Amino acid sequence: MSRQADADYDVLVAGGGAGGIGAALGAAKAGAKVCLVEKYGFLGGAATNAQVLAYCGFFQQGNEPIQAVGGAGEQVLGALRKLGVGAEPYHSETTGNWIVLLDPERLKVALDRLCAEHGIDVMLHTRLAAVSRTASRVEAATLAGMDGRSQVGAEAYVDASGDANMALVAGLPFRVGDEEKHLQAGTMPMRVGGLNPSVKIDREAIKAAVAAYNARGNDPIHRNDGGIYTRVPGSGDFWWLIIDREMTDLSSRTFTRAEQRAREMALALVDILREQVPGFENAWLAQTGPQIGIRESRHPAARYEITHEDVVEGRLREDGIARGAWPIELHKEAGKPLYEKIGARGYFHVPLDAVRARGLDNVWYGGRVIGADSLAYGSIRVMGTAFATGEAAGTAAALSARSGRAPAADQVREALTAQGAII
Ligand SMILES: Cc1cc2nc3c(=O)[nH]c(=O)nc-3n(C[C@H](O)[C@H](O)[C@H](O)COP(=O)(O)OP(=O)(O)OC[C@H]3O[C@@H](n4cnc5c(N)ncnc54)[C@H](O)[C@@H]3O)c2cc1C
């Protein structure tokens, strides 16, 4: 379906997280020849590279699980179920939110299989390093992989890199952090093995362990409530979000220091858990990382920026191509999250222009890089929503590759609906 005989692919997607998987599946289902490049040796994005072990955004907040994301996201849940992961909505009585708990190893395989079933050319260990462009289009991408550098051409491109790395190398404008250039805190999730399976975890004892850790003069932990934790399905490991690090910028040096400190903190914390929390007598630090979880980085300029009002008013639109259903969740200060509900029906529409790059005609955005102000970003960044925005971006990219021009919103909506997406 390529317009130019010499293009290698119709659509090239950078980043294999929820946004990139959504984009690759959406483009493939719309008939495109798709290449998906991912810098790590596995797919899944933050779910597998930072142990973010729960999908948020698939369901609206409330007493019943009303599904807000279908299509590619639903296919991923189906692929997980085939591998024996329940992938059923789990309700938090305190927040009213619904999440889907994950098993990262089975998720990696589920995503490999789904991409293979859809004929997607996946290139792992491959980083999008540069692009060549004209005034209005990206012409080719330079990929840096295990075998050195290579150049591939595509008709359309999706930046689903989370950090807007394609926009960065293409020289597109972007904002770092919020309107005051302040980045949300990063968090190093950790997994602790060796728990006694018959002991119920006592939150008061966890809180006391964190207080003891702080009293010993370690880098302070600000989550005095004991943080967020659960037992990982299958292993029964203790999965814990407790270590936050302020990120002052996006340099390799800042990342390195944050990760080095977080690893030290994790080891020290587990020592204290072992000493004083019932059930943790034989606990060990099973894993941190592979990288610190990044909530926020670059926001490239899109043709529309979803606003705080769009979210809290639950605004619906004729050019909507996806639903956002997760309440605004902000981590401006480490350990002190703020929440705000979505109004009206409990979801809002993401318009097509929010997934379209400003400044280049054949570049689309999927996942947390889509256009949003700093408050709306607190909602759209979750992985359930990222599948949906990614699928819309990939589908629009495929339609544009076929016709040579950007599709109208109703064409994208029609294609997405045929693909099982919920709009
Ligand atoms: C601590 C923490 C807790 C969170 N909790 C939750 C939660 O419970 N539930 C939830 O749904 N969301 C949660 N989030 C938010 C969510 O994880 C992210 O916003 C989401 O993963 C965004 O998806 P994405 O696909 O846009 O980006 P990512 O998941 O970051 O995926 C981007 C992918 O692009 C790859 N990549 C980057 N640059 C390049 C390049 N140049 N070339 C090739 N590949 C590249 C990366 O390796 C990565 O795989 C949390 C985030 C953090 C940090």
Side-chain angles (χ1 to χ4, degrees), residues 19 21-31 68-75 317-323 349-353 355 364-366 385-399 402 407-423:
I21 293 291
L25 288 173
K29 287 188 287 179
V69 175
E74 180 59 37
Q75 286 180 275
R317 316 171 48 117
E318 288 190 353
D319 58 351
I321 43 73
R323 288 186 187 185
H349 270 151
V350 174
L352 180 62
D353 275 352
V355 303
W364 301 82
Y365 295 139
T385 312
F387 281 118
T389 59
E391 178 158 20
T395 302
L399 295 176
R402 183 181 300 156
D410 55 355
Q411 288 174 281
V412 181
R413 286 166 64 99
E414 194 182 326
L416 284 170
T417 306
Q419 290 168 197
I422 297 171
I423 305 170

Side-chain angles (χ1 to χ4, degrees), residues 15 18-19 38-40 45-46 52 54 56 128 161 165 293 367-368 381 383:
E38 164 54 49
K39 70 178 176 180
Y40 285 115
V52 177
C56 301
L128 177 110
S161 65
N165 284 320
R368 68 182 171 88
R381 68 191 175 88
M383 294 185 279

Side-chain angles (χ1 to χ4, degrees), residues 96-135:
N97 289 325
W98 295 87
I99 60 173
V100 177
L101 292 172
L102 295 171
D103 167 343
E105 292 309 317
R106 280 184 282 183
L107 176 61
K108 290 176 189 172
V109 174
L111 298 176
D112 288 341
R113 288 184 183 177
L114 258 186
C115 288
E117 281 163 19
H118 286 79
I120 295 163
D121 192 5
V122 177
M123 288 205 264
L124 302 177
H125 298 288
T126 304
R127 182 185 283 264
L128 177 110
V131 295
S132 57
R133 55 168 285 190
T134 63

Side-chain angles (χ1 to χ4, degrees), residues 48-49 87 163 166 174 212 229 248 255-256 268 282 321 420-421:
T48 49
N49 70 35
D163 297 331
M166 185 188 291
F174 56 82
Y229 58 74
T248 48
F255 271 75
T256 305
N282 298 312
I321 43 73

Side-chain angles (χ1 to χ4, degrees), residues 202-215 224-226 272-273 276-277:
D202 175 0
R203 184 169 282 275
E204 291 309 314
I206 298 285
K207 280 158 73 173
V210 172
Y213 164 96
N214 282 337
N224 301 326
D225 60 354
I272 295 175
L273 291 179
Q276 62 181 68
V277 180

